[in-house]
Amino acid sequence: MYFAALLARTEDGWEASDTELLDNVETLSDLADLAREAAAEDDTVLVLIEQEDAWFGVVRIDGEEDPRIYVSDAAAAARSSYGEILLTDELLGRDPADDPDLDALDLDGTEDGEDEEEDDEDVTAEAVGSGEAVPHGPLGDPQVLDDLGVSEKELKALSEDALTEIAEALGASEVLETVR
């Protein structure tokens, strides 16, 4: 089960709203735009996402700055549709130019003018691209919440009730519970 919420900082404290990310968002850019819409002026907005007992993620948007991302377990997040939004090539340290051009691949395993006897492993390696695995464990900016009262050490120690503990540290537990 997934839970996702936006926490927007205002003059009066934090305001929370739940969001159906899969209905509105396909990319990190879409997510950042959604968060900016929830912000009063250029205030901080946090997107909190969790998959029960598997992983959680925090995306921080401060005005027009690039989003800052922290994911508690990248490998677990990679297996979910929400995680795919957060695990950008940049976060994973991959060069998008390394992705194979699938249009250039001949899907029958041969290239024009070549025999079908070509080694299948070569074609598979081309199709897979770099083949780098998503790392197990935390990934991203562990200092994403430092100035808001959650240190890197505390963030990395969070597990089952991570979003509740983050909200408590921010003084936003009541507003988060209203959207749960």
Side-chain angles (χ1 to χ4, degrees):
M1 177 164 188
Y2 292 100
F3 173 73
L6 293 172
L7 284 179
R9 186 165 36 181
T10 67
E11 290 178 9
D12 300 325
W14 292 94
E15 290 182 6
S17 59
D18 63 341
T19 183
E20 292 296 324
L21 291 181
L22 296 177
D23 292 341
N24 304 319
V25 174
E26 293 180 13
T27 66
L28 181 60
S29 198
D30 293 342
L31 181 62
D33 290 343
L34 180 69
R36 286 183 183 108
E37 289 173 15
E41 298 182 27
D42 284 340
D43 287 337
T44 299
V45 178
L46 301 175
V47 180
L48 305 174
I49 303 169
E50 72 180 353
Q51 181 180 7
E52 200 170 275
D53 297 329
W55 66 277
F56 71 91
V58 177
V59 179
R60 179 178 178 159
I61 292 95
D62 292 305
E64 292 300 316
E65 292 181 28
D66 288 340
R68 295 170 57 194
I69 303 166
Y70 175 81
V71 177
S72 66
D73 185 339
R79 294 186 297 267
S80 78
S81 52
Y82 284 153
E84 290 176 359
I85 294 169
L86 304 182
L87 298 175
T88 63
D89 286 335
E90 182 180 343
L91 187 68
L92 293 168
R94 295 180 182 161
D95 182 359
D98 290 343
D99 289 343
D101 180 5
L102 296 180
D103 293 333
L105 294 177
D106 189 3
L107 297 179
D108 72 357
T110 65
E111 293 183 26
D112 291 337
E114 292 185 7
D115 292 336
E116 290 192 28
E117 304 277 327
E118 182 179 326
D119 188 358
D120 289 338
E121 289 179 26
D122 292 340
V123 174
T124 303
E126 283 181 58
V128 172
S130 66
E132 295 174 36
V134 176
H136 288 275
L139 186 66
D141 182 355
Q143 298 171 339
V144 68
L145 300 173
D146 269 359
D147 65 323
L148 299 175
V150 181
S151 71
E152 177 178 344
K153 183 179 179 181
E154 292 168 324
L155 188 63
K156 287 182 176 182
L158 296 175
S159 58
E160 286 184 33
D161 232 1
L163 299 190
T164 300
E165 291 180 42
I166 290 170
E168 285 175 7
L170 300 174
S173 55
E174 287 182 22
V175 293
L176 183 65
E177 287 306 312
T178 63
V179 295
R180 265 201 192 248

